[in-house]
């Protein structure tokens, strides 16, 4: 059984005018699709892994055979992170979180604005390609981190920010270069307008 590219949960132009349709199209249909294909190609060499979920593979990378471990880390992470990225955005997004997530953000970071500033700074400050995360750490607390490449807090024993993702922003240049060129800070500040807080709250509740 091979892994498949999930359809985008909304039309390509649904995140306009914040994220342009052309960027979303290339990002999903080319970049995300390539990670799916590369992951499947790597797993073909080890059919015994075919029934394992991507999350299970990443949570125990040491058990993945060495000859495909890096390919699974990069491409499995690429698939899972993009699956999540599309889900935590949506048309009519933005605003603020509500309910339990809003309370936890206020408690942990002092205020929503303070959280937003810290998250943005961390994502913008990630050197080269990577991701900015809000996640629930092992102690059940909200934390902010960034990871290089396609590493995710789900990679137990591999990353320093282990936990369950709540919110993620892709800061690879392919996520913004067509519209924002080198201006990653402008992309991240625009990205807040498309955050699907309902989905983030669901992830937070299921992680705690
Ligand atoms: Mn990407």
């Amino acid at each position: 059984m091979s892994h498949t590219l999930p359809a985008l949960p909304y039309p390509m132009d649904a995140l306009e005018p914040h994220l342009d349709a052309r960027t979303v199209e290339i990002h999903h249909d080319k970049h995300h699709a390539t990670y799916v294909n590369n992951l499947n190609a790597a797993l073909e060499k080890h059919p015994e892994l075919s029934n394992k979920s991507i999350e299970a593979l990443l949570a125990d990378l040491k058990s993945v055979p060495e000859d495909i471990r890096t390919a699974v880390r990069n491409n499995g992470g690429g698939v899972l992170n993009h699956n999540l990225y599309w889900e935590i955005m949506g048309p009519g997004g933005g605003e603020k979180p509500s309910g339990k997530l809003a309370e936890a953000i206020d408690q942990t970071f002092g205020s929503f604005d303070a959280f937003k500033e810290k998250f943005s700074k961390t994502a913008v400050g990630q050197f080269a390609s990577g991701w900015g995360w809000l996640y629930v750490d092992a102690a059940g607390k909200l934390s902010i981190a960034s990871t290089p490449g396609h590493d995710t807090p789900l990679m137990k024993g591999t990353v320093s920010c282990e936990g369950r993702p709540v919110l993620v922003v892709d800061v690879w240049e392919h996520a913004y270069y067509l519209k924002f060129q080198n201006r990653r800070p402008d992309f991240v500040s625009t990205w807040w307008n498309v955050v699907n807080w309902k989905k983030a709250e669901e992830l937070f509740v299921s992680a705690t």
Side-chain angles (χ1 to χ4, degrees):
M1 199 189 77
S2 60
H3 299 281
T4 54
L5 176 68
L8 198 68
Y10 33 76
M12 296 288 178
D13 61 358
L15 306 178
E16 294 267 14
H18 312 293
L19 264 65
D20 62 290
R22 184 77 176 132
T23 295
V24 172
E25 182 186 357
I26 297 171
H27 199 170
H28 177 270
D29 291 2
K30 306 293 182 193
H31 291 278
H32 191 174
T34 299
Y35 299 128
V36 174
N37 294 338
N38 289 348
L39 175 66
N40 285 331
L43 292 174
E44 262 174 31
K45 293 169 198 148
H46 291 277
E48 74 275 13
L49 300 176
S50 64
N51 288 325
K52 276 195 146 186
S53 70
I54 302 173
E55 195 175 324
L57 291 168
L58 296 180
D60 192 12
L61 271 172
K62 279 193 285 293
S63 74
V64 173
E66 216 177 336
D67 62 320
I68 63 164
R69 196 177 297 153
T70 300
V72 168
R73 178 176 182 170
N74 292 341
N75 295 288
V79 175
L80 216 59
N81 291 356
H82 286 93
N83 291 353
L84 179 64
Y85 183 59
W86 302 123
E87 278 189 20
I88 58 86
M89 298 190 290
E95 301 287 321
K96 283 181 174 191
S98 58
K100 289 194 164 68
L101 177 58
E103 279 168 34
I105 284 175
D106 285 346
Q107 275 170 17
T108 310
F109 305 104
S111 69
F112 178 67
D113 286 342
F115 151 72
K116 225 172 132 174
E117 198 187 325
K118 189 175 181 195
F119 182 98
S120 297
K121 210 175 156 188
T122 303
V124 169
Q126 167 60 39
F127 180 71
S129 300
W131 298 77
W133 300 93
L134 175 69
Y135 66 102
V136 176
D137 68 17
K141 271 202 74 175
L142 278 178
S143 288
I144 288 170
S146 68
T147 55
H150 290 315
D151 283 0
T152 147
L154 295 169
M155 289 173 176
K156 283 185 207 134
T158 303
V159 296
S160 56
C161 55
E162 283 178 30
R164 310 285 314 169
V166 172
L167 193 66
V168 67
V169 62
D170 186 343
V171 292
W172 283 57
E173 284 185 343
H174 67 227
Y176 60 85
Y177 207 83
L178 283 183
K179 185 169 175 181
F180 296 92
Q181 294 82 46
N182 61 313
R183 302 187 310 277
R184 187 190 281 182
D186 292 354
F187 160 66
V188 172
S189 78
T190 300
W191 171 80
W192 291 108
N193 292 304
V194 295
V195 171
N196 178 351
W197 285 111
K198 213 175 147 228
K199 182 69 195 175
E201 199 184 344
E202 274 171 38
L203 292 170
F204 174 71
V205 168
S206 73
T208 48

